Amino acid sequence: MRYDTREEMEKLARRVLAFSKADEARVVIRSGWTGQTRFAGSEITTSGSSEDTTVTITSTIGKRRASATTNVIDDAALRRAVDTAERLARLSPEDPELMPELEPRQYAAVQAYDARTAELDAEQRAAAVSRLVEAARAVDPSQDLFVAGYLEANAMRAQAIANTKGLFAFHASTDVSLSNTVRTPDGTGSGWASGGAREWGRLDAAALGRRAARKAVASRNPVAIEPGRYTVILEPQAVGDLVQLMGFAIDARSADEGRSAFSKQGGGNKIGEKIIDERLSVISD
């Protein structure tokens, strides 16, 4: 059974929590679909899709906590998952930093779901790949450009969290990404381009193919340069990838414990210190 709506998710969450005998319990439900298409040598090599609904129950007994997950949604399987989480919690060591479950609260609704993305079937993905390949090869028809890439669409039709204190929250989202690499036949030129969005209509497959192909053609026959200091201008995708990785490092605990680039020599963190150019602001909320 698919669980696509807030009402269906809340009903399932309450059904799971009713089986709990723990001091506190939390259930997280994810119901989603993913479709992927790979291509190489200007041809599709693999295409497939899958959908699944998973239920994760986290049980707290005293200062001990553990979780169990199942993707079988009948009552017997859900009871087993709850029982497993509680048995594991009793066997777990006490957590001196354990935090209580959240009380009920209101969350802002975020529109992050696109029906076109959620319905991006194999035929539509193949058509997008065809547009990309044709556009890439048209950049320089005199060369037999090699085109390869990957298209992935994800639809988290519904995800929800609920606990025994009465909290319930629901969210649905989609995302799609398309990347491709183009190489010249002599192997000296290579180009790459990628795009991603929540809405399929925002991705231009042909434009991505042309961008990668132009890089490949322009980068043929590279020449050596002398070692030294050079000004390098990064394209938006490169900057985005770096900032995304930086986000995982903006963590107070790892900084306080001396395990990150934001740790201060001798102890503590660099809060209040200048670490980057003042024209750039990076925050973690």
Side-chain angles (χ1 to χ4, degrees), residues 7-70:
E7 292 72 23
E8 290 169 342
M9 282 294 223
E10 186 165 15
K11 184 178 180 180
L12 175 59
R14 299 306 176 199
R15 179 154 60 100
V16 176
L17 292 173
F19 298 141
S20 175
K21 298 181 179 63
D23 298 335
E24 292 183 342
R26 178 193 335 131
V27 60
V28 176
I29 309 169
R30 295 183 174 90
S31 181
W33 165 90
T34 182
Q36 315 94 11
T37 298
R38 295 181 185 274
F39 52 101
S42 304
E43 296 180 351
I44 292 176
T45 56
T46 62
S47 181
S49 64
S50 63
E51 61 179 302
D52 196 14
T53 297
T54 61
V55 176
T56 298
I57 181 75
T58 300
S59 299
T60 302
I61 299 176
K63 292 186 176 181
R64 306 172 192 270
R65 177 173 287 169
S67 301
T69 300
T70 182

Side-chain angles (χ1 to χ4, degrees), residues 45-284:
T45 56
T46 62
S47 181
S49 64
S50 63
E51 61 179 302
D52 196 14
T53 297
T54 61
V55 176
T56 298
I57 181 75
T58 300
S59 299
T60 302
I61 299 176
K63 292 186 176 181
R64 306 172 192 270
R65 177 173 287 169
S67 301
T69 300
T70 182
N71 64 351
V72 182
I73 315 299
D74 60 47
D75 281 357
L78 295 173
R79 285 181 185 276
R80 283 195 300 271
V82 172
D83 180 64
T84 298
E86 293 176 358
R87 286 190 291 111
L88 291 174
R90 294 187 184 94
L91 295 172
S92 299
E94 290 191 350
D95 181 357
E97 298 179 343
L98 186 141
M99 298 293 292
E101 292 293 333
L102 293 174
E103 301 285 347
R105 60 197 61 210
Q106 295 295 317
Y107 295 98
V110 177
Q111 177 52 45
Y113 186 87
D114 176 56
R116 284 187 62 193
T117 305
E119 297 167 0
L120 198 63
D121 59 22
E123 184 176 354
Q124 296 179 77
R125 298 196 303 271
V129 169
S130 178
R131 293 195 298 272
L132 182 150
V133 170
E134 289 176 4
R137 294 174 67 86
V139 168
D140 190 345
S142 67
Q143 297 198 66
D144 184 19
L145 295 176
F146 178 89
V147 186
Y150 181 61
L151 168 57
E152 178 177 310
N154 297 290
M156 185 58 68
R157 291 188 302 268
Q159 51 187 332
I161 182 170
N163 66 27
T164 48
K165 287 189 173 180
L167 174 75
F168 180 79
F170 172 88
H171 181 62
S173 64
T174 55
D175 65 84
V176 59
S177 61
L178 174 58
S179 64
N180 76 120
T181 298
V182 178
R183 292 183 62 85
T184 57
D186 61 7
T188 66
S190 178
W192 179 86
S194 175
R198 293 201 181 278
E199 301 174 15
W200 171 238
R202 291 181 176 272
L203 277 189
D204 187 336
L208 291 174
R210 283 191 293 268
R211 189 190 311 166
R214 287 167 181 161
K215 290 181 186 178
V217 172
S219 64
R220 286 175 299 177
N221 304 314
V223 296
I225 59 175
E226 293 299 318
R229 296 179 65 88
Y230 296 90
T231 298
V232 177
I233 299 176
L234 301 179
E235 67 174 337
Q237 181 70 50
V239 176
D241 288 346
L242 290 172
V243 171
Q244 180 174 268
L245 292 173
M246 187 186 298
F248 292 103
I250 303 177
D251 176 75
R253 180 167 188 159
S254 60
D256 291 344
E257 295 179 349
R259 298 184 286 110
S260 87
F262 302 104
S263 300
K264 184 184 295 185
Q265 188 171 3
N269 60 55
K270 295 181 180 179
I271 290 179
E273 297 184 14
K274 178 180 176 180
I275 58 174
I276 55 177
D277 191 290
E278 60 268 13
R279 292 171 294 179
L280 179 65
S281 297
V282 181
I283 63 172
S284 174

